[in-house]
């Protein structure tokens, strides 16, 4: 899966380089007060955590579908034998 993801990620076009985005983020954060920086950081963390939960949810659904498909294919093969 890791190799497939890496291959897919390389084939995706990116509008901006990650380094550019990170540099822009650092510049903005540097202009904020510590309290504002903490709020922004918590917000970003919440977005990332939400994305991870969504990814896990869809992964589990895909795994469940795959196991169901395996069972159906085995039944079809048995009926053809």
């Amino acid at each position: 899966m890791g190799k497939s993801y890496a291959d897919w990620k390389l084939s995706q076009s990116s509008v901006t380089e990650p380094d550019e985005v990170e540099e822009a983020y650092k510049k903005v954060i540097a202009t904020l007060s510590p309290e504002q920086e903490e709020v922004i950081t918590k917000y970003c963390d919440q977005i990332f955590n939400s994305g991870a939960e969504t990814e896990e949810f869809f992964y589990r659904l895909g795994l469940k579908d795959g196991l169901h498909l395996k069972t159906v294919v085995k039944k079809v093969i048995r009926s053809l034998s």
Side-chain angles (χ1 to χ4, degrees):
M1 283 180 82
K3 183 178 180 334
S4 296
Y5 175 77
D7 292 344
W8 172 80
K9 190 68 174 169
L10 288 174
S11 70
Q12 300 300 307
S13 61
S14 177
V15 176
T16 58
E17 293 295 319
D19 290 340
E20 292 174 16
V21 173
E22 188 173 342
E23 287 299 318
Y25 174 79
K26 287 179 182 179
K27 286 179 185 177
V28 170
I29 290 295
T31 65
L32 302 175
S33 70
E35 295 83 19
Q36 292 171 325
E37 180 180 347
E38 184 178 346
V39 169
I40 296 295
T41 301
K42 284 182 180 180
Y43 179 71
C44 289
D45 290 345
Q46 185 176 1
I47 291 171
F48 294 135
N49 290 338
S50 172
E53 290 170 1
T54 303
E55 184 177 330
E56 180 182 349
F57 173 78
F58 284 112
Y59 177 82
R60 288 175 185 256
L61 281 180
L63 186 59
K64 182 179 173 184
D65 287 345
L67 292 173
H68 179 70
L69 181 61
K70 177 185 170 189
T71 304
V72 170
V73 169
K74 279 186 171 186
K75 286 179 183 178
V76 169
I77 289 173
R78 270 190 247 134
S79 70
L80 293 174
S81 298

